[in-house]
Amino acid sequence: MTWDQQYPYQQNPYQQGYNGYDHGAYGNQQQYTQQPYPDHTYPPAPDQTAPLPLVEPEPELEPQPDSTAAAAAAAAAAAGAATATAVGNRSARRNGWAQPTAPGTDETGTEESDPEPQPKKPARDRYFDTLRAVALIRVVTYHTFGWAWCGMVFPSMGIMFGLAGTLMAKSLERPALKVVKSRLRRLLPPFWFWGFFVVLAMLIHDWMPGWQIVYWVVPLGDPPGNAWGEQAWEILWYLRTYLWFVLLSPALLWIFRKAPVPVLLASLAPILVLNFVWSGPDNRFGSALWDLSTYLFCWILGFAHRDGVLQRMKPALVVVGSLAAVGYGGWYAFSHQADFGTYDLDENPLAQAFWSAGFVMLLMWAKAYFKIDFAWLTRYRRADRTVTIFNARAVTIYLWHEIALVLAVPLIDQMWNVPAFEKWLPLDSQWFMFGVGWILIAVFVVACGWVEDVAAKKKPKLVP
């Protein structure tokens, strides 16, 4: 079913390209969030002062003939004086009154050799950070152009849940209650800030909420809204699913560690049950159940990566299993186009679950097996800086990107009134709207991203 058929009230020609929501028939949409992350800081450079040379015992002097006795005595005296000076300098420094030695020399006055430069390693894993940044870019691309093949080229949501599962397993090395409270603190304030404007706009456009408005406080279910604001609020399925995974993770991780591989394989069972046996209730709980089942494997796969399970698995088994999952997901998507009206994975939960499972497993296994870290990215300052901003403002980008695309439409409409713009700019191009959308996203990052810093108890910054 196309966007026009589902929502005939939207007739603006510019909206035709980004009407998909990366979500299945159980609630159209897609994308991210991920969860907010700490600033990318790097360890300080290694100390550039060479260590003091070890003081070795002096060699015994060989007997000298009478003619050279004076010279030998002078040499011995000079060596003793140098040693005494060095010891005296160190003692004086301890008492705080000696003059410092010149740069590049030790206490004996000999030149120090420069230490070998040590390569800097980033404080965060740039491989995962890069995957998260690409996932966000893919989300905006899909919502602009609506290309059905986007999910097969790069299943953003499965990747996002896999990365979040890895980070959650790492965090749960601390007390579970503190970890859950920390995740809620980082997620909810940006959501409340964004939701204030969305709810206010819908109230102005004749929306009257009922008791379900509590889901705008804690999105354990899909927050309600009217048709006018649907393009903005429908993306919240991701935050709702992420929140449930956070709450369930202490129990899920405990179960996973009892039998890692069997639990990982069994995590695909819920989506098979919902698809072939019982479709679940037709309400908020049912929608949440479908989304949790679709991405459960990816979340637990994050646990497997963190605990080293993937690294210990046989490469042939991982590759064959991953390709089999991708193959089944792709076959199911194409063979059931008549049922869903498209091969888009976001409209087909079972296909999405298996395709994402195989794709994400290959990415995480390769990272563990080949020890990929993308540390080389730090040599390219602009690219590294971009990845840093995307990760530090992931929640902001995800929440505000649809509003940016919506606002791009009337903004471009006004450009048609400027003859020079009409003549020289491709105002009717989806690519042009894509560019305008990213400019507006950048504005929202600067104007609203500081909320993520406040939520993380950091000093607010316009640009991280």
Side-chain angles (χ1 to χ4, degrees), residues 232-254:
W233 57 257
E234 201 170 26
I235 63 172
L236 293 178
W237 74 269
Y238 173 78
L239 269 68
R240 178 250 293 151
T241 306
Y242 173 81
L243 181 58
W244 272 111
F245 273 134
V246 167
L247 296 176
L248 295 172
S249 280
L252 288 176
L253 185 59
W254 181 82

Side-chain angles (χ1 to χ4, degrees), residues 125 127-128 162-163 165-167 169 256 264 298-312 360-361 363-369 371-372:
D125 191 313
Y127 177 74
F128 282 166
L163 299 181
T166 296
L167 294 176
F256 168 77
L264 180 63
C298 294
W299 188 271
I300 294 183
L301 191 63
F303 295 170
H305 170 78
R306 176 63 188 173
D307 285 5
V309 175
L310 293 181
Q311 191 172 4
R312 296 192 296 268
V360 178
M361 190 168 186
L363 287 178
M364 288 198 164
W365 171 80
K367 190 262 186 303
Y369 188 80
K371 303 186 184 304
I372 305 171

Side-chain angles (χ1 to χ4, degrees), residues 218 244 257 267 336 395 455:
V218 181
W244 272 111
R257 286 174 173 168
S267 63
H336 288 77
V395 176

